[in-house]
Amino acid sequence: MSEERAKKDRHNRDKGIERLRNSYASGKVNKKNINQRGYNKFLVVENDVHVSIDEQKIVDDALWYWLKSYVTNTDLEASAMIERYYELWGVKRAFRVVKGKLETRPVFHFTGRRIEAHICICFMAYKVYKELERILKTLDINLSVDNVIDIAKTISTVTIILKNGKTASQTLLTTPEQRLLEPLLPSPH
């Protein structure tokens, strides 16, 4: 496991244990609503009534939490299997972006053609998201894609039709945040 991933896992574990302790301290932990995120393994339920935290289990778990194991039914070499597992994390992240940040809604399609079209639209949205992420990095714009989208929603473009039938457009960048996005906009002709 990489040091970066171990740090993230350690942070998430500490947050989960803190939430468990806070729930316990507030009296909200009972057999019916025990924490479902995996930290209930640190609880002791006695006589189906009394719930307490086993601090020794938390200490013991800290010794091994970073250890990962993989079980598979493939003929892949161990290194190839671990590489595929890391690729799976990237796929899961992509789905989180599509479902969360891009706000694609669950849609219930019943024909293969519509299902394929929906998947294609989600894939293209993700591709545009990743391309914008790449462009931001290339242009050294220190903003997340989500921040750029939020700022872009506040930018207005005024288009007027001239007497000769031609049109003239002007994009209005009125705030410092909007001006940060100027390199992303098309150049005026």
Side-chain angles (χ1 to χ4, degrees), residues 4-126:
E4 183 178 325
R5 180 61 193 227
K7 183 178 177 183
K8 178 184 182 301
D9 287 352
R10 187 169 35 253
H11 173 76
N12 289 341
R13 179 183 179 278
D14 291 345
K15 274 179 46 179
I17 291 171
E18 180 183 344
R19 276 194 304 270
L20 178 68
R21 286 185 172 133
N22 290 340
S23 293
Y24 179 75
S26 69
K28 293 181 181 175
V29 173
N30 57 43
K31 188 173 180 182
K32 183 177 178 185
N33 67 354
I34 286 178
N35 183 316
Q36 296 300 312
R37 293 214 175 236
Y39 298 103
N40 55 347
K41 66 185 175 185
F42 302 127
L43 296 175
V44 177
V45 180
E46 298 169 0
N47 300 327
D48 288 340
V49 176
H50 181 70
V51 178
S52 60
I53 297 177
D54 187 334
E55 295 294 335
Q56 187 57 48
K57 282 186 180 179
I58 293 173
V59 171
D60 293 344
D61 184 72
L63 299 173
W64 302 102
Y65 82 93
W66 53 271
L67 188 63
K68 296 273 188 207
S69 63
Y70 303 90
V71 177
T72 182
N73 60 354
T74 70
D75 295 330
L76 291 174
E77 294 291 323
S79 60
M81 187 188 65
I82 291 169
E83 185 177 323
R84 296 300 177 277
Y85 177 78
Y86 286 130
E87 290 169 0
L88 175 65
W89 182 83
V91 171
K92 287 181 178 183
R93 181 181 180 275
F95 274 101
R96 278 195 304 277
V97 168
V98 169
K99 290 166 66 177
K101 296 175 189 271
L102 298 180
E103 299 177 7
T104 57
R105 299 283 180 245
V107 178
F108 301 100
H109 298 294
F110 300 101
T111 65
R113 187 176 170 116
R114 286 184 178 209
I115 293 168
E116 288 175 8
H118 183 77
I119 290 170
C120 181
I121 290 167
C122 291
F123 175 77
M124 291 307 298
Y126 181 68

